[in-house]
Structure formats: C-alpha cells, structure tokens
Amino acid sequence: MTFDLLAQDSATKARAGRLETAHGTIETPIFMPVGTAGTVKAVSQQTLKTDINAQIILGNTYHLYLRPGLDVLKAAGGLHKFNGWDRPILTDSGGYQVYSLSNTRKIKEEGVKFRSHVDGSQHLFSPEGVMDIQRVIGADIIMAFDECTPWPCEYDYAARSLEMTHRWLKRCIQRFDSTEGLYGYEQNLFPIVQGSTFKDLRIKSAEFIAEQGRAGNAIGGLSVGEPAELMYEMTELVCDILPKDKPRYLMGVGTPANILENIALGVDMFDCVMPTRNARNGMLFTTQGIVNITNKKWETDFSPLDPELGGHASTFYSRSYVRHLFQSKEMLGPQIASAHNLAFYLWLVKEARKEILAGTFGPWKERMVKQVMTRL
Ligand code: GUN
C-alpha cells in the first residue's frame, strides 16, 4: 500500500492525498460508508458504486465472525467475493463492538470473553484471534484489537487500559507479520491511538503508535460523548505526532461539522453510522442544511432532495414524495434517504479535497460548517 501526500493547506493542517490498495485507489480526505455485516444498510452495492461512488467501505469483525461466520467467508473466498464489492474494504477489529454490543464481557490480558448478542454463545477475542479472523475476512485494511475507553473515564483506568492496548498491539503485529493473506493480495494493519481525553496519555500513545511504522494509523476512543472541542484538542495533539507520510484515520466520526473540523486538523479518513442511521429516522443532510423529512413543512415541496448533489436518490425524488414514504413506513423511504445521505457525505469530502488542492480550504470550511449544520 502506498500513500502520496499531494497537498497541504497553508492556513489549516488539512491534507489531500492518494492511497493505493490492492483493490484500488482512495482519494483522501475520504468518508467510508459503514457496512457492519457486509452490507451498507439499505443501500445496494450497485448504488454505492455507480451512484454514490464510494471508494472504500467498512466491515466489522465482530458481526461477520458471528454471522455468516468464518467457514462461509472462507468458502466464498473472502468478503470481497462474498458481497461482490471489488473496491477496497476496511474491517474494524471488534475492539469497539464487543464492548457496546455483546452481553456479558470480561476484559483480561489474554483478550475479551463475551456472549454473542445473536444467540448468547460464549467467545474469546484475543489480539491473535482477531488478526486470524481479519485474514479470513480479507479486508485491505485491518484494525488492531484495542480497548475503546468510555467517556468520562478515570485517569488510572485510561492509563492501564492504554498500556494493555499497546501490549495487545505488539501481539497483533507479531501475529499479522508472521501470517499471510489467504487470497493472494496485500492486507495492511493499522494500529489505534487511545488515551481517552488525557493529553499526556494521548501523546504517549501517539508516540508509541508512530514508532510501529505501519502503513497507516488510526485514532480511537473519541466521539464517545465528550464535548466536540475536547475531541478536536485530542485530534490535533495526536495528528501533530503521527507521521506526515501515512494516512490518519479517525474512527467513528462524525457529524458533517466534525468531519470538516477534523480534516482541518490533519485527518484523512473517516467512518460513521450517522449518515445511514439518521437517514433511517428521516434526517437528511443537504448542501443547504439539515432536513427532517417527516416534518409537515415538506408535504407539498416537489423539489428534489438536493439538486446540487450527484446521484439518483438526491436528484430524482422530491421531498414531498420521500416524506410520504416515511409517513407510510414504506421501505423505499429509508433506502432513498440512506443513498442520499451517503451521497452528501461523499460530496462533502470531495469538495473539501478540491478546496485543499486549490489552497482555499480554510475560509470554505468556516462557511460550510455553518451552512451544512443549519436546520431547515
Ligand atoms: N470505532 C470507533 N471508535 C473506535 C475505537 O476506539 N476502537 C475501535 N476498534 N473501533 C472504533
């Protein structure tokens, strides 16, 4: 995998780059739609590819391991073959979902023992096991097994957790570097910076992660309930330490404003369930602001969802019609809304990239943060 840094904004720390993977190119900054269980909820692979032009999607180790399971994924020849997505895929390690989704869980040095949220069966996720699972899934970018601390978090807990995440990382690297991909193409392991909202812990973690010399690095443990300003403070601190010539991935972030502010601090890659989850509840992001499509205000608005966005969903269907679909609980409503919101997120990062390359990102960002977060 190679990363070329093409431009750095002079007024902010924003960057534009190009990441080459075995399944194709990713132009950064990029937003990665979340496809937890091997599907971006309510959006077909064809729509993702030809309409939204998603460059990379996410999958999740925790979900895919539980269902369909490793035997099916291996027999299929990996997740790309299984779901028909031939562009890059990134899998999260389960170092987040195992804490948020599984029923009982016990965190020990060896790993995390948990009960499946599907059928209650018992499992152990260890750093080694999670590397082996992600080899079977076969994503282009795979994540280290970490502990994402909750917020707020006691300093002593965050410090001890961080030490364990670092020891787990060493075990992940050892296992990853002594194994090979199953399907004949290259995979890359990204380590994850933790440290809650404590500056000294974040600095320590960023230095440790930077020293590992992997092809890319991630920042975890943010957007877990802390104020946005505190998240930005941590991102900036960490980005200033992580190597400039490697992509930086901020996990689980965020609102359109969060994405623009973090691009300004030097983040290159983002993922979040927000565009698809909020779409299913009728919340639409547009270039002019936020629309609650169930609102009576849109009952006879026959203009398209957003004519400024590319993509079928945003330009073909009217606000009035999509409101009707939501009022009638029709399945097409969430489908259109999800495709539309993803088109918006992909548009946002594409425009940001253009502005970075043109040297005009700073003032554009200030204007856009206000514009896209306005409630219409
Ligand atoms: N997704 C959002 N935050 C995190 C994190 O801290 N760790 C992992 N593994 N995934 C995440």
Side-chain angles (χ1 to χ4, degrees):
M1 196 170 91
T2 60
F3 181 64
D4 290 312
L5 197 56
L6 303 177
Q8 266 188 290
D9 188 45
S10 52
T12 71
K13 296 174 181 173
R15 304 127 55 86
R18 187 178 292 128
L19 184 60
E20 298 282 353
T21 75
H23 286 90
T25 305
I26 300 157
E27 297 196 316
T28 63
I30 191 66
F31 179 80
M32 309 181 280
V34 176
T36 304
T39 161
V40 175
K41 287 190 197 305
V43 186
S44 74
Q45 278 72 332
Q46 188 186 18
T47 298
L48 275 172
K49 198 167 174 175
T50 58
D51 223 28
I52 295 163
N53 200 19
Q55 298 180 40
I56 170 170
I57 62 171
L58 250 72
N60 206 287
T61 299
Y62 172 85
H63 293 82
L64 293 167
Y65 161 83
L66 292 176
R67 244 182 349 207
L70 300 186
D71 291 345
V72 173
L73 286 165
K74 203 179 220 169
L79 183 58
H80 287 93
K81 291 268 165 59
F82 184 57
N83 71 2
W85 181 256
D86 59 5
R87 292 184 183 177
I89 298 178
L90 180 151
T91 42
D92 195 0
S93 57
Y96 183 78
Q97 288 72 21
V98 83
Y99 307 108
S100 55
L101 290 178
S102 65
N103 295 322
T104 53
R105 64 196 170 267
K106 268 212 177 91
I107 309 172
K108 290 191 176 159
E109 188 66 28
E110 185 193 4
V112 181
K113 262 200 190 135
F114 63 94
R115 274 186 190 280
S116 156
H117 75 288
V118 177
D119 62 4
S121 54
Q122 263 214 15
H123 305 267
L124 170 75
F125 268 6
S126 67
E128 293 81 9
V130 162
M131 292 300 100
D132 295 347
I133 297 168
Q134 290 185 98
R135 285 294 196 192
V136 174
I137 299 171
D140 302 273
I141 299 171
I142 75 169
M143 302 307 299
F145 192 54
D146 60 336
E147 184 186 6
C148 174
T149 45
W151 194 88
C153 177
E154 294 286 336
Y155 181 87
D156 284 354
Y157 186 91
R160 275 200 306 275
S161 165
L162 180 63
E163 294 300 334
M164 187 181 67
T165 285
H166 289 177
R167 287 192 298 275
W168 281 1
L169 173 60
K170 283 295 195 187
R171 288 167 56 189
C172 285
I173 290 175
Q174 171 83 34
R175 182 60 145 243
F176 181 78
D177 286 350
S178 61
T179 55
E180 280 188 0
L182 273 54
Y183 313 113
Y185 54 83
E186 183 197 53
Q187 294 182 281
N188 287 277
L189 170 63
F190 281 20
I192 305 171
V193 174
Q194 291 289 345
S196 187
T197 46
F198 302 105
K199 280 189 188 179
D200 63 321
L201 298 183
R202 283 282 169 185
I203 292 170
K204 189 174 176 186
S205 185
E207 286 171 349
F208 183 81
I209 289 329
E211 274 167 28
Q212 309 305 315
R214 308 309 300 193
N217 300 293
I219 308 169
L222 291 175
S223 205
V224 288
E226 78 285 3
E229 289 310 319
L230 211 43
M231 161 173 52
Y232 301 148
E233 202 183 317
M234 295 302 127
T235 312
E236 183 165 25
L237 195 64
V238 169
C239 283
D240 287 349
I241 296 169
L242 292 178
K244 281 196 164 42
D245 60 347
K246 309 273 176 69
R248 303 165 183 155
Y249 163 31
L250 178 56
M251 309 188 78
V253 174
T255 65
N258 293 156
I259 288 183
L260 293 175
E261 296 295 358
N262 283 299
I263 288 175
L265 301 173
V267 174
D268 307 300
M269 302 164 71
F270 299 89
D271 79 282
C272 191
V273 294
M274 184 172 271
T276 39
R277 180 173 293 167
N278 290 17
R280 297 195 296 278
N281 296 317
M283 180 176 173
L284 304 186
F285 296 100
T286 78
T287 55
Q288 304 307 311
I290 297 169
V291 167
N292 179 348
I293 202 66
T294 60
N295 205 310
K296 190 159 173 65
K297 184 174 178 182
W298 313 114
E299 191 173 27
T300 56
D301 185 333
F302 300 106
S303 61
L305 294 181
D306 191 339
E308 288 189 48
L309 294 178
H312 183 69
S314 314
T315 54
F316 185 82
Y317 299 105
S318 72
R319 292 182 180 186
S320 168
Y321 179 62
V322 177
R323 176 176 188 274
H324 157 71
L325 294 176
F326 270 87
Q327 296 298 98
S328 319
K329 304 215 173 352
E330 285 290 338
M331 287 206 292
L332 188 58
Q335 289 174 13
I336 292 169
S338 300
H340 161 80
N341 274 355
L342 287 177
F344 170 80
Y345 267 65
L346 267 297
W347 170 85
L348 189 69
V349 292
K350 195 173 175 184
E351 290 299 305
R353 190 172 195 271
K354 273 195 224 160
E355 299 288 337
I356 296 166
L357 290 169
T360 48
F361 176 78
W364 175 83
K365 187 265 287 181
E366 292 303 322
R367 191 160 51 78
M368 283 321 277
V369 163
K370 292 195 188 87
Q371 188 173 313
V372 299
M373 297 309 286
T374 305
R375 293 209 172 246
L376 299 176

